[in-house]
Amino acid sequence: MNLILERTDQVKFFTNMKEVFSALNISCHDYDWFVSDIETNGLVISEGWHSGVELEKIITSNDIQFIWAVFSAFPIGTRFAVAEPPYVDGNPNYWNASEPKPQIEKAIFEIACWDSSATILIGVNPTMAKSFKSIYTDTIELKNAAR
């Protein structure tokens, strides 16, 4: 399922990953992460592979807003060379009313931070989608936000 949260006052600020993970009712520890196309409000985070433990330390010990970023979730222990890192800035697949899939083929799901004004969820399962939508009732299906 692909969802987007934008144009709402239900969040203090968009793309606060602590709140995103909480709303999805998941723990960073449950996955390994490939993080790419990163721009933050000041904290420098390296593009590439991060364990869930490492990522959780980063997002819980800092008041960080991701302006642009793609978080791709994988089963724990996954590591491989990524030839084309996922990107969000300028990616037309979010807005063409298609049903995009995570940009890395083996990813379970993807979370995209869009210009600090939207949170995009790609390929989340129905349980995660229901949890997120119960917290952020302004969430809509991404295909309905096509521009």
Side-chain angles (χ1 to χ4, degrees):
M1 179 169 273
N2 299 330
L3 303 172
I4 185 168
L5 177 64
E6 66 176 343
R7 298 184 188 108
T8 184
D9 58 4
Q10 293 182 315
V11 294
K12 182 177 176 182
F13 62 86
F14 283 95
T15 61
N16 177 333
M17 294 306 290
K18 279 189 284 193
E19 293 178 5
V20 171
F21 289 130
S22 177
L24 287 168
N25 197 28
I26 62 172
S27 170
C28 288
H29 293 178
D30 295 334
Y31 305 94
D32 276 345
W33 299 89
F34 189 89
V35 185
S36 57
D37 198 17
I38 306 164
E39 182 181 337
T40 71
N41 63 348
L43 185 69
V44 177
I45 298 174
S46 63
E47 180 172 285
W49 290 102
H50 296 270
S51 71
V53 172
E54 177 187 359
L55 185 59
E56 187 163 309
K57 284 180 187 175
I58 293 169
I59 65 170
T60 59
S61 62
N62 300 283
D63 190 22
I64 183 170
Q65 180 179 22
F66 289 86
I67 298 164
W68 299 99
V70 179
F71 293 80
S72 302
F74 292 86
I76 293 172
T78 301
R79 294 285 192 281
F80 55 89
V82 176
E84 294 183 37
Y87 69 103
V88 61
D89 187 7
N91 188 331
N93 292 327
Y94 296 123
W95 312 116
N96 64 10
S98 68
E99 287 291 332
K101 304 235 182 295
Q103 294 174 66
I104 301 176
E105 186 176 330
K106 298 175 184 177
I108 301 168
F109 62 92
E110 175 179 291
I111 303 167
C113 304
W114 179 270
D115 198 15
S116 66
S117 63
T119 303
I120 301 170
L121 308 173
I122 302 295
V124 295
N125 68 41
T127 303
M128 288 188 285
K130 182 179 179 181
S131 178
F132 194 84
K133 290 167 79 174
S134 74
I135 303 295
Y136 301 118
T137 57
D138 289 340
T139 301
I140 62 170
E141 290 190 39
L142 180 60
K143 66 183 175 185
N144 295 332
R147 296 187 165 129

